[in-house]
Amino acid sequence: MHRNSIIELNQEAYQNNLSFLKKMLGKNVIFSSVVKGNAYGHGIKEFVTMAYNNGVNHFSVFDVEEAKIVFDTLGNNVTIMIMGFVADEDLHWAIKNNIEFFVFERYRLAMAIKTAKKIKSKAKIHIEIETGMNRTGFTKKELSRVAKYIIKESEYIDFVGLCTHYAGAESISNYYRVENQIKLFKEAVAVFKENGIEPKIKHTACSAASMMFPETQMDLVRIGILQYGLWPSQEVLVTYLNSKKKKTDPLQRVISWKSEIMNVKHVKSGEFIGYGTSYMAKEHMKVATIPLGYSHGYSRSLSNQGRVLIEGKRCGVIGTINMNMLTIDVSEIDNVKKGDEVVIIGNQGDLAITVASFGELNNQLNYEFLSRISKSIPRKIIE
């Protein structure tokens, strides 16, 4: 079956990013590959296969649905950690299959123990601490009680980790907030020690924190955006470059997104193109239609301003982006025809369309744009 587009994952780029990250991390720090949001649009199944083949054996996901994809792909060969949602009825599956998960409320702790007792197995848990994100996590005053409860039920609990999440380590404007979070996390560690119990590992750092606050690397880092070859923010990139003599970006983008022209049409001057009247041909034009639209993750807000690459030239999106189609001005390309390659993200000739360029055009974060790319588009690993 011929698909409307394809996502390619460049294994060489991923190897480059991994070796850079390993240089930046402490020697004994565990590298956890964050693959939530369909591996940031890269496709969980394909991405974890590539990562595992390159020596990665720890994966962080948001929920049980994502954990099951990793588990079905790699089985017990890897450690899987759920950082977010676990429904009560899914605890049985998680505990039975040695899936680790965050616990951030007493109810979940009680349910985990209850389920573990039922199946005569240990729940592998990470206690999440509230340090100032004000989203999920135990507050400092709850910790003594939590520690005592874990000790009491130690037959059914494997206290794997103690963790928190920083509220915006990618921006210097959050510096004091993050510094305060680090302080509060250290206090939480002390509370557990005072109660005679310690986790096997402590982890708090995402991509941004691991670069901006190296002391947060601790025993494990949860690396998302950096492994895909993108930076959490321009600030993180600039901070890194300022610390080096060589001012070049060490990361390489893993993802490419390609489609093809489905139709070429000539439009007369004065005619409107597409829905409504958002674009009028000011002269005779040649227009190509691409079988991609907002249902595939190409945002409607890129209407009349998106760019693609065709025949080694940068071409503009014209008219309103449809659910399944977008129209491109190809007037400058002489021999353009149906079936020609269209690069949405990636390189063609000397030109490139970056993921960051989408944010520049329509105020979408790298993270948002990538995670919205349709799951139905096939992904393939290229050497």
Side-chain angles (χ1 to χ4, degrees), residues 7-18 39 42 46-47 50 224-230 251-257 345-346 355 370 380-382:
I7 301 280
E8 293 175 347
L9 309 182
N10 187 317
Q11 185 154 247
E12 208 177 296
Y14 186 62
Q15 287 163 343
N16 167 79
N17 300 342
L18 274 186
H42 292 63
E46 295 79 7
F47 187 83
M50 180 176 70
I225 200 86
L226 285 172
Q227 67 176 331
Y228 301 105
L230 304 159
L251 296 177
Q252 292 174 16
R253 184 192 57 242
V254 172
I255 197 170
S256 293
W257 187 7
I345 302 171
V355 176
L370 286 170
K380 74 168 184 181
I381 300 161
I382 58 165

Side-chain angles (χ1 to χ4, degrees), residues 283-295:
E283 55 196 357
H284 294 329
M285 292 179 74
K286 200 161 38 172
V287 176
T289 306
I290 317 300
L292 276 180
Y294 56 77
S295 72

Side-chain angles (χ1 to χ4, degrees), residues 4-74:
N4 63 329
S5 67
I6 189 156
I7 301 280
E8 293 175 347
L9 309 182
N10 187 317
Q11 185 154 247
E12 208 177 296
Y14 186 62
Q15 287 163 343
N16 167 79
N17 300 342
L18 274 186
S19 70
F20 164 73
L21 287 163
K22 282 175 181 162
K23 280 182 211 144
M24 298 303 295
L25 301 174
K27 206 177 175 184
N28 299 313
V29 176
I30 299 163
F31 177 90
S32 185
S33 166
V34 179
V35 292
K36 63 185 180 178
N38 199 29
Y40 291 47
H42 292 63
I44 292 179
K45 187 171 182 244
E46 295 79 7
F47 187 83
V48 300
T49 301
M50 180 176 70
Y52 179 68
N53 289 338
N54 284 282
V56 177
N57 56 17
H58 197 293
F59 294 94
S60 293
V61 298
F62 175 71
D63 57 19
V64 170
E65 182 194 356
E66 294 177 341
K68 283 183 173 173
I69 300 169
V70 181
F71 186 77
D72 290 345
T73 308
L74 300 173

Side-chain angles (χ1 to χ4, degrees), residues 5 12 59 141 182 210 269:
S5 67
E12 208 177 296
F59 294 94
K141 64 172 195 275
I182 295 168
S210 66
S269 176

Side-chain angles (χ1 to χ4, degrees), residues 61-318:
V61 298
F62 175 71
D63 57 19
V64 170
E65 182 194 356
E66 294 177 341
K68 283 183 173 173
I69 300 169
V70 181
F71 186 77
D72 290 345
T73 308
L74 300 173
N76 285 316
N77 297 314
V78 297
T79 302
I80 301 167
M81 180 169 75
I82 300 171
M83 303 182 290
F85 183 63
V86 184
D88 291 352
E89 59 267 29
D90 289 324
L91 281 167
H92 184 282
W93 177 84
I95 295 167
K96 190 179 79 165
N97 291 296
N98 292 314
I99 308 294
E100 301 177 6
F101 53 93
F102 282 21
V103 170
F104 41 74
E105 56 175 3
R106 277 185 286 176
Y107 173 79
R108 179 177 283 189
L109 186 55
M111 284 302 294
I113 291 163
K114 189 180 170 186
T115 310
K117 282 180 178 172
K118 206 178 277 181
I119 59 176
K120 296 183 172 52
S121 189
K122 277 193 174 191
K124 293 178 177 265
I125 67 163
H126 294 253
I127 295 291
E128 186 182 7
I129 309 299
E130 173 56 75
T131 56
M133 182 78 162
N134 291 311
R135 202 170 60 174
T136 50
F138 289 104
T139 59
K140 191 180 173 185
K141 64 172 195 275
E142 295 176 283
L143 295 183
S144 275
R145 204 165 154 190
V146 169
K148 290 182 174 80
Y149 195 21
I150 291 172
I151 292 165
K152 182 177 162 237
E153 303 289 356
S154 59
E155 196 184 335
Y156 298 101
I157 283 188
D158 186 354
F159 183 22
V160 179
L162 192 65
C163 57
T164 196
H165 186 61
Y166 296 116
E170 71 283 350
S171 174
I172 206 76
S173 62
N174 297 318
Y175 178 82
Y176 289 109
R177 190 176 175 192
V178 172
E179 282 288 331
N180 193 51
Q181 285 189 273
I182 295 168
K183 181 173 144 286
L184 288 171
F185 185 76
K186 286 175 180 168
E187 288 171 12
V189 172
V191 172
F192 278 92
K193 259 189 183 163
E194 284 157 21
N195 280 278
I197 184 170
E198 282 190 73
K200 290 174 182 167
I201 59 170
K202 296 182 281 293
H203 56 101
T204 65
C206 55
S207 288
S210 66
M211 300 294 287
M212 301 286 266
F213 301 86
E215 81 239 56
T216 66
Q217 290 181 12
M218 302 181 193
D219 303 309
L220 174 146
V221 289
R222 308 182 299 258
I223 302 290
I225 200 86
L226 285 172
Q227 67 176 331
Y228 301 105
L230 304 159
W231 291 84
S233 68
Q234 283 298 105
E235 275 184 57
V236 180
L237 171 58
V238 169
T239 303
Y240 167 77
L241 292 177
N242 282 342
S243 70
K244 300 290 166 196
K245 278 186 186 148
K246 200 175 164 199
K247 308 290 185 198
T248 53
D249 185 347
L251 296 177
Q252 292 174 16
R253 184 192 57 242
V254 172
I255 197 170
S256 293
W257 187 7
K258 295 172 182 175
S259 185
E260 63 178 52
I261 292 173
M262 63 181 269
N263 183 55
V264 179
K265 187 174 200 65
H266 291 270
V267 178
K268 289 176 185 166
S269 176
E271 295 278 347
F272 290 107
I273 295 169
Y275 285 120
T277 55
S278 77
Y279 190 90
M280 185 176 76
K282 292 185 175 62
E283 55 196 357
H284 294 329
M285 292 179 74
K286 200 161 38 172
V287 176
T289 306
I290 317 300
L292 276 180
Y294 56 77
S295 72
H296 304 103
Y298 198 91
S299 175
R300 195 166 174 272
S301 59
L302 290 164
S303 298
N304 292 308
Q305 56 175 350
R307 298 285 182 272
V308 299
L309 300 177
I310 299 172
E311 297 289 327
K313 291 188 171 68
R314 207 179 294 276
C315 303
V317 173
I318 52 174

